[in-house]
Amino acid sequence: MRSLLFTFCALLAVHAAGGTATAVPARATARPVASGTAAEMSGAQAVGLVLAGGAILIIAGQLLRLRLRIRRERQGGGTDDH
């Protein structure tokens, strides 16, 4: 289950980065990036990344709640339906 969540997070990160999953060449990382270049993240991309991170946290929390509820039911504990 954990590897499925990591796979989902990786796919979401690739999507937020613009859909490119190729590795950055070594020479591109060796030189410093000046501010104002195309390598910087735009405001819309930053907002998308924050929203994607929030969605990942919500999904992970829901999966954890489900897992704990299933474990409690298997052990014969009561339900805490609100």
Side-chain angles (χ1 to χ4, degrees):
M1 173 131 157
R2 193 175 276 179
S3 63
L4 179 64
L5 185 60
F6 288 146
T7 303
F8 176 71
C9 292
L11 288 174
L12 197 54
V14 167
H15 177 70
T20 57
T22 58
V24 177
R27 66 179 181 276
T29 59
R31 59 189 151 129
V33 178
S35 69
T37 62
E40 289 186 355
M41 186 180 296
S42 71
Q45 288 175 333
V47 169
L49 192 58
V50 168
L51 291 176
I56 289 171
L57 289 175
I58 289 171
I59 292 169
Q62 292 297 319
L63 288 173
L64 181 62
R65 268 183 75 194
L66 178 64
R67 185 174 146 204
L68 291 174
R69 184 171 56 107
I70 290 172
R71 182 186 298 167
R72 221 177 292 124
E73 288 176 359
R74 284 185 183 165
Q75 291 176 352
T79 60
D80 58 339
D81 292 335
H82 298 282

